Amino acid sequence: MPVKGMRTTLFKPSPSTSPARSTPHRQTFSDTLMDENIENAQELISKWDVTHSSSLHCDVVTNLFASDNRYEAQHYLNSIKDLQIAMRYYISQDPTSDKLVLAQNLMQIAMKTLEKEFYIILKSKRQHLDPESVSRASRSSVSEDESDQEDGESRSVGEDSISEVELVSMAAMEDLKAIAECMIGAGYGKECVKVFKIIRKSIVDESLYHLMNFESRLSLAQIQKMDWEVLEVKIKTWLKAVKVAVKTLFYGERVLCDKVFSSSPSMKESCFADITREGALSLFLFPENVAKCKKAPERIFRTLDLYEAIADLWTEIEPIFDLESTSTIRQQAINSLIKLGEAALAMLTEFETAISKFNSKAAVPGGGIHPLTRYVMNYITFLIDYSGVLTDILADCPPTVPSSLPEAYFGSPMSADGTSTSAISTRLAWLILVMLCKLDGNAEIYKDAALSYLFLANNLQYVVNKVQKSNLKLLLGDEWIEKHEAKVRQYASNYERMGWNKVFAALRDANDNEMTTPQVTECFKRFNSSFEDAYNNQATWVVSDSKLRDHIKVSVASKIVPVYREFYGKYRQVVVRKEGVVRFAPDDLGNYLSDLLFGTGVSGSNLSLSSSSSVSSVTSSSGHSRGGRSR
């Protein structure tokens, strides 16, 4: 208290000696403190008065919150708080006081200055307030706090692990927070929020535009008119962009809004919602519009990519947009998931329909792998990469399966708890079954029954191989594989029976009884003819799987060569002088059989054995030569 004030108090005259007159308003201790608050504030506020130095939107100005003015910036904010105290005091004590008017004018000037400072920080520190920097700074700050709590290490140790960029970002956020708190406390929060929204929304929208490389607000009509190749490129771009947008852009903006406007829950919610709503809605609307396009089966993979991207990011989308004002964004993401799931189901149905309606009257040369088999199995094995999302999509939508068909057709591997696996195994097994049924019909195109069975064996073996070499094996199970492998063996056995039956019959019971020379001659001729016919007929037939091919050859050879070798050894000398009766040595049969089922022969070729038409030439030759494959 001033000395004069003390004297007045200590040596005040007694009431009996004081003259009788009206007592003026005396300066109290509180009056003096409030006056000092106004005087101190006036000095600082006038010094940084932007109304006399530069316009609000001029970046080339002296910055109160520059690194070399840190102390004064804090002093400035404190003086505004003191000014608020003085204003409240005079409102309660003397609402018509000139000092109150002065304080109010000073507050307006101070708010203009802080608004300018707020704008300058947002603009000049833009590279340090970009979502990525804010995200990193936030995570570094959290990690540092956790580290300090766990081991009590000094703050300086934590700072060494934070980059300079992150430190600048953290400092800028602290400055913005301090200004926002001050302006909100003074009743100027709307002005602060307005500047923040304008600048930050432009940054978010610009970032989204660069991430997408195309206008994210494409209408449904525009998307539906696009060629699939063009749309697929945009989908790939979106898949990359959405991860950055959620994990960095929107997350960083949420962190920044929560930090700067921590003193006002309503303002931080309003800022974040208004800044991100338009961009986020456009981002998450794109997949829904894609889902509304043509349901061609080949588009299912990109559709599942979109579904998987949103599903994987949902645990981050939900907390980022957990505000009431951003519920439309969450709902849009959910809507896109629903529409994408429905589109995927429609594409699977369309795929099944396409298999059922497939119609080709052209036989695959040599009984090889049908293009339908390759396409369907490649399609299904690609689907396995999406087993997680397909399980979700198919969970409530089991396929319509005829009840008359046995369960073994669909595969039913058991899970650890003894229950059957999800609907995905049934759905995929059903698609395979639809294809196999279609192949059964295609097998009838072949006029030769043996070739039709070889065709079925080839294609089913291809299916089994695809299952065994992919994650389909885990879904369909060992029982499914064993069942279909047995079916392959059955088809191969039918091929042998139909394709080599005449050869088998030519030597049947030939070694059981003694035969006359004419009978031996007839038996050799009958074998020669049947073997040549079978060989020539199958010259262009093919078995693609090497193991199946070797199995068939070994099986056929085991039924022909030993019997012929015994007959040859027993009766060769009987007809040795008869030209052309013995055309094959036992070893020749194995060699000729080994050349079959490669599909390299010429259709309609004739097995010519003139060079080995007599027993002498056969026995004297150390090898044999043919116009076909050489071994």
Side-chain angles (χ1 to χ4, degrees), residues 405-420:
L405 293 174
E407 183 180 351
Y409 271 88
F410 305 104
S412 55
M414 305 302 288
S415 59
D417 60 0
T419 60
S420 185

Side-chain angles (χ1 to χ4, degrees), residues 338-620:
I338 293 172
K339 294 299 182 182
L340 289 167
E342 291 173 352
L345 285 174
M347 291 171 190
L348 278 177
T349 301
E350 183 64 26
F351 180 61
E352 179 184 334
T353 302
I355 298 173
S356 300
K357 291 183 177 180
F358 180 84
N359 187 20
S360 174
K361 296 181 179 180
V364 178
I369 310 300
H370 199 285
L372 179 66
T373 309
R374 295 184 189 275
Y375 178 76
V376 171
M377 291 311 300
N378 285 330
Y379 189 97
I380 291 176
T381 52
F382 277 127
L383 282 179
I384 293 303
D385 293 336
Y386 302 91
S387 58
V389 295
L390 278 174
T391 298
D392 294 338
I393 293 172
L394 294 171
D396 300 321
C397 191
T400 303
V401 177
S403 58
S404 59
L405 293 174
E407 183 180 351
Y409 271 88
F410 305 104
S412 55
M414 305 302 288
S415 59
D417 60 0
T419 60
S420 185
T421 57
S422 65
I424 183 174
S425 59
T426 302
R427 187 67 176 236
L428 298 183
W430 169 249
L431 289 175
I432 293 174
L433 180 60
V434 171
M435 177 200 66
L436 292 176
C437 292
K438 197 67 181 179
L439 291 176
D440 284 342
N442 280 103
E444 297 176 1
I445 297 175
Y446 296 99
K447 296 179 180 180
D448 192 313
L451 183 56
S452 67
Y453 282 118
L454 192 66
F455 168 79
L456 293 172
N458 265 322
N459 284 269
L460 186 53
Q461 183 64 54
Y462 180 88
V463 171
V464 171
N465 289 345
K466 278 288 187 178
V467 171
Q468 288 180 320
K469 295 176 182 178
S470 69
N471 287 332
L472 272 170
K473 180 178 181 180
L474 301 177
L475 287 174
L476 300 182
D478 293 335
E479 182 182 354
W480 187 97
I481 293 174
E482 291 170 1
K483 171 188 174 299
H484 287 81
E485 283 180 331
K487 195 72 173 178
V488 171
R489 291 192 293 271
Q490 179 184 338
Y491 286 145
S493 177
N494 290 342
Y495 150 77
E496 289 181 23
R497 179 172 54 81
M498 302 300 292
W500 295 94
N501 186 51
K502 291 183 179 180
V503 180
F504 299 154
L507 294 175
R508 189 174 293 125
D509 302 328
N511 296 315
D512 294 342
N513 304 303
E514 290 296 326
M515 302 175 65
T516 64
T517 298
Q519 289 175 325
V520 171
T521 300
E522 180 60 27
C523 190
F524 269 115
K525 288 182 177 181
R526 187 167 59 249
F527 177 84
N528 294 340
S529 175
S530 61
F531 186 84
E532 289 174 10
D533 289 344
Y535 181 91
N536 290 331
N537 190 41
Q538 300 181 35
T540 59
W541 296 7
V542 63
V543 174
S544 303
D545 182 75
S546 59
K547 291 183 178 179
L548 177 60
R549 183 171 59 243
D550 291 343
H551 168 78
I552 291 175
K553 290 179 180 180
V554 169
S555 179
V556 172
S558 67
K559 294 177 176 63
I560 296 176
V561 176
V563 177
Y564 183 78
R565 186 183 300 279
E566 181 181 354
F567 181 76
Y568 177 89
K570 187 174 182 180
Y571 293 111
R572 178 179 61 87
Q573 294 298 332
V574 175
V575 292
V576 69
R577 298 187 179 280
K578 293 188 176 183
E579 182 100 18
V581 173
V582 180
R583 295 189 178 182
F584 302 99
D587 290 340
D588 285 337
L589 297 180
N591 291 333
Y592 277 111
L593 289 173
S594 68
D595 278 349
L596 289 177
L597 305 183
F598 284 99
T600 55
V602 180
S603 179
S605 62
N606 182 34
L607 180 63
S608 176
L609 299 168
S610 57
S611 60
S612 56
S613 58
S614 66
V615 68
S616 59
S617 63
V618 171
T619 55
S620 63

Side-chain angles (χ1 to χ4, degrees), residues 51-173:
T51 61
H52 295 117
S53 60
S54 60
S55 66
L56 173 62
H57 299 297
C58 179
D59 293 341
V60 187
V61 293
T62 304
N63 186 1
L64 172 59
F65 282 80
S67 58
D68 54 348
N69 292 328
R70 305 298 299 173
Y71 174 78
E72 186 154 352
Q74 186 60 50
H75 190 34
Y76 190 95
L77 294 174
N78 291 337
S79 71
I80 292 176
K81 294 178 182 178
D82 292 341
L83 185 61
Q84 285 181 274
I85 295 173
M87 290 174 67
R88 286 194 291 268
Y89 174 79
Y90 282 114
I91 289 172
S92 65
Q93 297 296 321
D94 187 5
T96 62
S97 170
D98 293 338
K99 293 179 180 179
L100 177 58
V101 175
L102 173 61
Q104 289 172 335
N105 291 335
L106 289 173
M107 183 62 73
Q108 291 178 355
I109 295 171
M111 292 301 104
K112 284 289 185 182
T113 300
L114 288 182
E115 186 179 350
K116 181 248 336 184
E117 292 293 328
F118 197 74
Y119 175 86
I120 289 175
I121 295 172
L122 286 171
K123 294 289 285 187
S124 64
K125 295 293 193 297
R126 173 172 174 168
Q127 68 274 24
H128 297 104
L129 291 173
D130 68 282
E132 185 174 357
S133 299
V134 171
S135 299
R136 286 203 308 264
S138 173
R139 292 186 175 105
S140 297
S141 178
V142 171
S143 299
E144 182 187 9
D145 291 343
E146 291 175 350
S147 176
D148 288 345
Q149 291 174 4
E150 289 176 2
D151 53 32
E153 292 182 357
S154 64
R155 181 74 175 176
S156 60
V157 174
E159 289 177 351
D160 291 339
S161 63
I162 302 177
S163 70
E164 182 179 351
V165 173
E166 291 166 357
L167 289 173
V168 175
S169 297
M170 293 165 69
M173 285 191 286

